[in-house]
Amino acid sequence: MTAADDLAMQRALALAAEAAAASEIPVGAVVLDGEGHIIAEGRNTREATHDPTGHAEIEALRRAAASVGSWNLEGHTLVVTLEPCVMCAGAILQARIGRVVFGAWDDKAGAAGSMYDVLRDRRLPYRAEVIGGVEVDASTALLRTFFEQRR
């Protein structure tokens, strides 16, 4: 963990709170370049866009690729408030993201160590370093509050 990871997680948490305020599942994500600078960010947008791929990670990856002018984000870090799902893990590997830092574990759909471990699967040609449980209490609280308010 670096100081840049910590700052990025704080920004991701703010994005997750913005998502919740917009009636989206509260997940936020940022992409850091190799020097630890935020180059892109995203939050869940599925409800607003009616797009099933409107996950925070996908939004952030799209913006990062546009920012650097390449789909290849080798040497970059994705910081996200919730463990990536299988779809997002696939996109992370396709983008060649080298590190993934996340907050809350997702025991129902996580693909970075809980349900599946796609990001570190040795059968795949590319793998990412995974650091989970960062700001887990804050990430979990956002999710818990969001879903409690909808029950």
Side-chain angles (χ1 to χ4, degrees):
M1 281 292 300
T2 68
D5 294 340
D6 290 331
L7 287 173
M9 182 58 80
Q10 293 310 310
R11 179 61 187 144
L13 286 164
L15 290 163
E18 288 177 18
S23 298
E24 300 278 357
I25 294 174
V27 180
V30 300
V31 177
L32 304 174
D33 65 15
E35 296 174 0
H37 301 110
I38 294 175
I39 63 161
E41 56 186 42
R43 65 173 178 79
N44 276 4
T45 61
R46 287 190 319 171
E47 299 302 324
T49 62
H50 310 290
D51 179 355
T53 69
H55 288 202
E57 300 94 324
I58 302 297
E59 298 289 330
L61 290 171
R62 286 179 177 150
R63 290 184 179 116
S67 172
V68 302
S70 174
W71 61 268
N72 190 327
L73 299 173
E74 191 168 350
H76 291 69
T77 297
L78 176 77
V79 179
V80 60
T81 58
L82 179 64
E83 179 183 3
C85 69
V86 172
M87 174 185 70
C88 291
I92 289 163
L93 294 179
Q94 288 297 316
R96 302 295 190 257
I97 291 284
R99 291 176 69 240
V100 176
V101 176
F102 70 86
W105 295 89
D106 186 349
D107 294 335
K108 294 179 182 172
S114 61
M115 206 46 198
Y116 306 99
D117 201 358
V118 174
L119 293 177
R120 296 179 286 202
D121 191 323
R122 296 216 174 271
R123 296 170 293 182
L124 298 173
Y126 194 83
R127 288 172 292 287
E129 176 186 357
V130 175
I131 302 168
V134 176
E135 290 287 345
V136 65
D137 293 338
S139 296
T140 302
L142 278 168
L143 291 159
R144 183 175 292 123
T145 300
F146 177 83
F147 286 112
E148 284 173 355
Q149 291 174 347
R150 275 142 187 80
R151 288 190 181 112

